[in-house]
Amino acid sequence: MGIEENGVESVGLKSSKNKYRRMDSRDLVEFDVISEYEAPNFRKTATKKYVMASAVFASLNSVLLGYDVGVMSGAIIFIQEDLKISNVQIETVVGILSIISLLGSLAGGKTSDIIGRKWTMALAAMVFQIGALIMALAPNFGVLLTGRLFAGVGIGFGVMIAPVYIAEIAPAITRGSLTSFPEIFINFGILLGYISNYAFSGLPSHISWRIMLGVGILPSIFIVGALLIIPESPRWLVMQNRIDEAIVVLRKTIDNEEEVQEKLADIQQSAKYKPKAVWKEILYPTPSVRLMLISGCGIQIFQQISGIDTVVYYTPTIFKDAGMSSNTELLAATIAVGFTKTSFILIAIFFIDHLGRKPLLYVSTIGMTTCLLGLSLSLALLGHEPIGIKLAFLFVCGNVAFFSVGIGPICWVLSSEIFPLRLRAQASGLGAVGSRVSSGVISMSFLTVTETITVAGTFFVFAVISAVSVAFVYKCVPETRGKTLEEIEVMFDDDKLSGGETELADTASLVPKESNGA
């Protein structure tokens, strides 16, 4: 039971080259005292725990984004009162984070290829900490905006790299649910932000918002500790020609030795490409890469332009337009919205690898369209009436629930699945850029647009956009459930994908066969 391959013991995993021992050393060092009948089940349990823990730790960066989004919805009430800033300045403070995060997302692809996936996460946490500290101490609008810029860059790094990392360590059978973890943690962060708003709302206005923003530093402290535990991505290790280390990680994340060798061969094969510039291939894509970009980046953009961040950032504004008045009542209502958004993400996690990506996307986009239309009509026809307030609350909760069931987590899953290894980091970064820019534009213009066409009219526009997203899912998004990353790459043949979904069995016909005569 101790056969050596590439200098690494295959089952016992006791090689001195194992740099990633500390998480599961208790689990894996006992193989030699377990019977040969018990060992497979023992290893299966150990690898499942290891992958799960790695996915959880890698997702902690997403708490930062979620907390910032959630806390700002309430903090802006007190920031405006304390610093005496205008609605345009409020829009700028809220939306600039998403716009500037594109710098982090663009740089994140290249950075993660140079220093590795997990140390890119560390960089993200450090930059965000600087930004959060500056915001909490800001004496005026200019300094507050400077801190917001730092926080945006850090978040850009984090939202781009976490799904990529998880997709690269997760087995195909659980990749969908595990890659959804960042979205769970975003929602958890939003809920924490809402709770922070409510908890500190009783303090004087010049103190309350500073504490609300300053608390955002705490999650990044846990991130630093987590990064000392999780392994580096095996795909990145192969790209660096660190094959022995990649094998160690693969044996900790896959419970079957034969599958380990197959996966290693797949990664090595996909990593072999001509020395063609990655960005040149993205900017001048082949038909199959073009389809990947349309699918991956398109779903990211639709996630945001259907208005989810305006609902989260401006929940108090929406409820105030419906008829709620006191700050305490408004902030308490936002906690209920945050709890709903966080709870329903668990449904997606449970079903994403059972039902598939597209069924959940259909439920999500159709449900959001219905709720956005209902919110628009209730605000327009029943505003400031008791029934109107109740319906507005119901439709806001319904909108965030349907978002969390499908397009919220699945857009990150798809963008981390569909791109080939050579393009994955940069293309996923480009998708994150599309998402963040869309979020920023929508968030920075929301108050201005509502003054022009009313809050009800604005959400009617969002309902129309959401309806278009249903058609986009039908036409442009493939089903990737149960497929390996390498099989998904083959699946994006332009002739095959145009018909809709490609089944797993069809991928065999997409693999080019070598000709003996050539």
Side-chain angles (χ1 to χ4, degrees):
M1 294 183 66
I3 300 174
E4 294 268 343
E5 292 184 30
N6 294 312
V8 183
E9 194 171 358
S10 62
V11 179
L13 296 177
K14 295 183 179 180
S15 167
S16 60
K17 296 182 181 180
N18 182 351
K19 298 182 180 181
Y20 308 110
R21 171 185 297 276
R22 56 174 67 90
M23 180 185 293
D24 65 340
S25 58
R26 294 182 179 179
D27 294 331
L28 297 180
V29 297
E30 301 294 337
F31 274 147
D32 54 347
V33 298
I34 297 175
S35 73
E36 60 180 317
Y37 302 105
E38 295 174 322
N41 288 334
F42 189 88
R43 180 173 178 179
K44 185 175 183 178
T45 301
T47 55
K48 185 181 296 185
K49 290 180 179 178
Y50 188 79
V51 173
M52 178 73 73
S54 296
V56 168
F57 288 140
S59 302
L60 290 177
N61 252 319
S62 300
V63 176
L64 303 179
L65 172 59
Y67 183 84
D68 187 274
V69 170
V71 78
M72 191 55 69
S73 68
I76 56 176
I77 298 173
F78 305 101
I79 291 173
Q80 191 167 26
E81 182 180 340
D82 182 31
L83 301 184
K84 312 300 181 186
I85 59 179
S86 66
N87 278 347
V88 173
Q89 289 174 313
I90 284 293
E91 286 180 323
T92 302
V93 168
V94 169
I96 197 65
L97 180 136
S98 294
I99 296 292
I100 203 67
S101 67
L102 71 89
L103 297 179
S105 293
L106 284 173
K110 185 65 175 177
T111 303
S112 67
D113 282 346
I114 295 174
I115 67 174
R117 302 334 191 198
K118 77 171 188 174
W119 296 115
T120 300
M121 297 182 220
L123 180 62
M126 291 172 58
V127 175
F128 182 87
Q129 278 183 322
I130 294 171
L133 184 61
I134 293 173
M135 287 191 292
L137 300 176
N140 53 50
F141 172 74
V143 177
L144 178 66
L145 195 61
T146 300
R148 198 79 171 145
L149 297 179
F150 274 95
V153 172
I155 284 174
F157 274 110
V159 298
M160 170 264 158
I161 196 58
V164 171
Y165 172 84
I166 296 171
E168 292 182 347
I169 66 166
I173 193 171
T174 58
R175 189 180 60 247
S177 58
L178 292 176
T179 312
S180 301
F181 276 23
E183 184 67 19
I184 295 179
F185 281 77
I186 287 175
N187 283 274
F188 181 65
I190 290 172
L191 180 58
L192 290 179
Y194 286 159
I195 293 173
S196 177
N197 287 337
Y198 186 78
F200 300 116
S201 61
L203 298 175
S205 60
H206 67 284
I207 295 176
S208 58
W209 67 269
R210 299 180 188 278
I211 296 178
M212 292 173 187
L213 298 180
V215 170
I217 298 173
L218 298 179
S220 56
I221 297 174
F222 293 100
I223 294 170
V224 174
L227 292 172
L228 298 175
I229 299 174
I230 64 174
E232 184 52 85
S233 160
R235 284 178 170 79
W236 183 81
L237 292 171
V238 169
M239 291 172 67
Q240 303 301 308
N241 202 32
R242 292 159 61 177
I243 307 300
D244 288 352
E245 295 174 57
I247 292 173
V248 170
V249 177
L250 286 171
R251 285 181 176 141
K252 291 184 177 184
T253 57
I254 299 175
D255 56 37
N256 183 285
E257 183 63 26
E258 183 178 351
E259 290 182 21
V260 168
Q261 298 304 323
E262 290 176 357
K263 176 61 69 176
L264 178 63
D266 286 342
I267 295 173
Q268 289 176 313
Q269 182 63 35
S270 65
K272 292 178 181 178
Y273 62 97
K274 302 293 182 182
K276 180 180 181 182
V278 170
W279 281 111
K280 183 177 180 181
E281 187 170 358
I282 291 175
L283 295 175
Y284 302 98
T286 62
S288 59
V289 172
R290 185 181 300 112
L291 288 172
M292 295 176 189
L293 291 170
I294 291 172
S295 181
C297 297
I299 197 69
Q300 292 268 28
I301 293 172
F302 270 110
Q303 184 205 50
Q304 292 300 325
I305 62 176
S306 55
I308 187 62
D309 274 4
T310 61
V311 173
V312 176
Y313 275 127
Y314 297 107
T315 301
T317 301
I318 297 169
F319 290 150
K320 185 178 292 185
D321 190 74
M324 292 186 188
S325 54
S326 73
N327 286 342
T328 302
E329 186 180 20
L330 291 171
L331 295 177
T334 61
I335 292 178
V337 173
F339 182 79
T340 302
K341 194 172 188 297
T342 304
S343 300
F344 274 80
I345 191 70
L346 301 177
I347 297 176
I349 302 308
F350 182 79
F351 285 109
I352 192 170
D353 285 318
H354 292 80
L355 297 180
R357 284 52 161 163
K358 292 193 75 166
L360 290 179
L361 283 173
Y362 285 134
V363 170
S364 176
T365 51
I366 293 172
M368 288 174 62
T369 302
T370 303
C371 290
L372 289 168
L373 181 60
L375 177 60
S376 173
L377 294 175
S378 64
L379 291 174
L381 303 177
L382 301 169
H384 292 270
E385 295 183 16
I387 185 64
I389 295 174
K390 292 178 182 178
L391 285 175
F393 178 77
L394 177 65
F395 285 127
V396 168
C397 288
N399 182 61
V400 299
F402 280 114
F403 177 87
S404 293
V405 163
I407 197 170
I410 291 176
C411 86
W412 298 107
V413 174
L414 286 171
S415 65
S416 63
E417 286 180 330
I418 62 177
F419 298 111
L421 176 62
R422 66 184 184 277
L423 305 177
R424 184 168 299 133
Q426 286 80 1
S428 296
L430 186 62
V433 167
S435 171
R436 293 295 89 205
V437 171
S438 301
S439 170
V441 171
I442 296 295
S443 300
M444 292 178 72
S445 60
F446 179 76
L447 294 178
T448 301
V449 172
T450 58
E451 290 175 359
T452 304
I453 64 173
T454 73
V455 176
T458 303
F459 279 100
F460 180 80
V461 173
F462 288 145
V464 172
I465 294 172
S466 183
V468 175
S469 72
V470 179
F472 177 83
V473 169
Y474 173 77
K475 184 66 178 176
C476 301
V477 178
E479 180 58 74
T480 57
R481 178 175 65 96
K483 298 174 175 63
T484 67
L485 297 177
E486 288 68 34
E487 287 169 338
I488 293 171
E489 180 179 350
V490 174
M491 186 181 68
F492 270 89
D493 179 275
D494 55 323
D495 292 327
K496 291 285 183 181
L497 194 62
S498 59
E501 297 182 11
T502 303
E503 299 299 329
L504 182 59
D506 294 337
T507 58
S509 66
L510 302 181
V511 181
K513 295 180 174 61
E514 296 183 2
S515 173
N516 294 331

